[in-house]
Amino acid sequence: MKAHAKRASYGPWLVGLGAALWGTESAWRIPLNNLFDAPVIVWWEHVLILLMFLPILLPHLGALRNVDGRTWSYLIFSGFAGSAVGTVFFTLALKNGNPTVVNVILNIQPVISTIGAFVLFGDRLTPRFFVYASIAIVAGIFLSVEHPELIGVSFAQAGLNLGTAYALVCALFWGLSTVAGRGVMIGMPLKLASSLRVVVGLVCMSAILLLYGKANGPALWPAAAQTHPGVAIGALILLASISGGIPLLIYFEGLRLTRASTAGYFEMLQTLAAVCITWGFFHAKLYPHQVVAALVLMAAVTMVQRSQAVVEYDY
């Protein structure tokens, strides 16, 4: 009983710590955007995280013989959509939009993943889900624009920019990746799944670089990075460790000890950490209506998670 209580008490805080560390990635990704193309940043990120995860991956390779085709399909999609493509769009969003808006609007992911779980796994959508999801979407629209009074005229004049569009695409990919991750965890050990997701992401990113002709020395280490090698190397290492591999391990260990509905609340620490960095250090402020919209969005998403607690699942 005491062991169970201890696990229940610190599990959510591990989720919160992992999420908060994830929220620090803007601190490194924004400066890296000045040195590398977005796909190259994500490629280097995967290379470094994989090197960190090799001691975890190699001892579990024997379990691959027990993995079925369905689990492999979930893993490949999760690595492609979440680890690779979704991260590229997030990097582009930070480069082309207000980083604070980008980090807050990504909170709409649970709405996407809930709908995905309904389609793929037959999870039940409660009536309240549609109410809170609608509120979240409306709040997201007001958060995305600087001049909401001009929405009726045109989104461009209202201030909707490319960064917001990239953020929404990222939210779509990450939300669907979460659903696929559920399928992976059903048929594969956690440590093996986490490591292989990075492997799949690296393969996808390598293919993307080859496709766009960026798999060469000048593209992987451009002149800007050669001019500031200390900044480039330091930011890449911090991105892959403090904001990448380390929080991944902490988060999933916490998630193993935490109810899904409870974890959802602690995951909000990712947004808090990100906003502190983007607004506090990069001065990416929000207009008053955007602050209100951000609070409404986060509250609505919280209620989405609470209303769906009856169909909880483990990632």
Side-chain angles (χ1 to χ4, degrees):
M1 181 67 69
K2 290 183 178 179
H4 177 76
K6 184 178 180 182
R7 289 172 55 175
S9 65
Y10 74 77
W13 290 106
L14 289 179
V15 171
L17 176 59
L21 289 175
W22 266 329
T24 65
E25 64 181 319
S26 296
W28 332 117
R29 210 176 289 276
I30 291 175
L32 285 170
N33 265 325
N34 298 321
L35 305 178
F36 301 93
D37 288 339
V40 175
I41 295 173
V42 180
W43 184 83
W44 277 116
E45 182 181 1
H46 279 77
V47 169
L48 294 174
I49 293 177
L50 180 57
L51 290 176
M52 292 174 55
F53 275 29
L54 281 179
I56 300 174
L57 173 62
L58 295 179
H60 292 86
L61 288 179
L64 289 177
R65 65 174 67 95
N66 300 319
V67 179
D68 59 29
R70 187 179 182 85
T71 301
W72 275 112
S73 66
Y74 285 136
L75 176 68
I76 292 171
F77 180 81
S78 178
F80 167 77
S83 189
V85 178
T87 308
V88 170
F89 277 107
F90 175 61
T91 306
L92 288 170
L94 291 177
K95 186 174 185 177
N96 292 275
N98 181 325
T100 302
V101 171
V102 168
N103 278 293
V104 175
I105 205 168
L106 287 177
N107 282 283
I108 205 167
Q109 288 175 67
V111 175
I112 297 171
S113 59
T114 299
I115 295 174
F118 163 74
V119 174
L120 193 59
F121 296 110
D123 286 356
R124 183 168 60 87
L125 297 180
T126 64
R128 287 181 296 171
F129 166 81
F130 298 98
V131 176
Y132 296 129
S134 299
I135 294 174
I137 292 171
V138 173
I141 293 174
F142 279 90
L143 172 65
S144 303
V145 298
E146 297 179 356
H147 307 288
E149 69 277 5
L150 296 178
I151 290 179
V153 180
S154 80
F155 279 108
Q157 293 184 41
L160 187 68
N161 56 46
L162 191 59
T164 302
Y166 283 142
L168 291 173
V169 175
C170 172
L172 175 63
F173 276 104
W174 278 355
L176 294 177
S177 175
T178 297
V179 181
R182 173 186 174 183
V184 175
M185 295 308 169
I186 293 174
M188 188 180 295
L190 172 62
K191 292 182 179 179
L192 181 61
S194 301
S195 303
L196 285 180
R197 186 175 187 268
V198 178
V199 173
V200 173
L202 178 58
V203 171
C204 292
M205 289 311 307
S206 298
I208 290 173
L209 293 184
L210 284 170
L211 181 63
Y212 287 95
K214 296 182 181 297
N216 55 71
L220 294 177
W221 204 258
Q226 296 176 31
T227 304
H228 305 283
V231 175
I233 295 173
L236 284 171
I237 291 175
L238 290 170
L239 177 63
S241 57
I242 300 299
S243 306
I246 293 175
L248 184 66
L249 295 176
I250 294 174
Y251 173 83
F252 278 114
E253 175 62 18
L255 201 61
R256 185 177 67 85
L257 305 172
T258 308
R259 291 167 59 89
S261 58
T262 302
Y265 300 116
F266 282 81
E267 288 170 2
M268 293 293 181
L269 289 176
Q270 179 176 359
T271 301
L272 178 61
V275 169
C276 287
I277 289 171
T278 55
W279 197 336
F281 292 94
F282 293 99
H283 309 294
K285 66 178 183 179
L286 300 179
Y287 288 94
H289 77 273
Q290 290 178 310
V291 173
V292 174
L295 294 174
V296 172
L297 171 61
M298 295 179 67
V301 170
T302 299
M303 294 307 296
V304 163
Q305 294 174 317
R306 184 174 180 179
S307 68
Q308 289 296 119
V310 293
V311 287
E312 286 182 352
Y313 57 83
D314 294 326
Y315 293 101

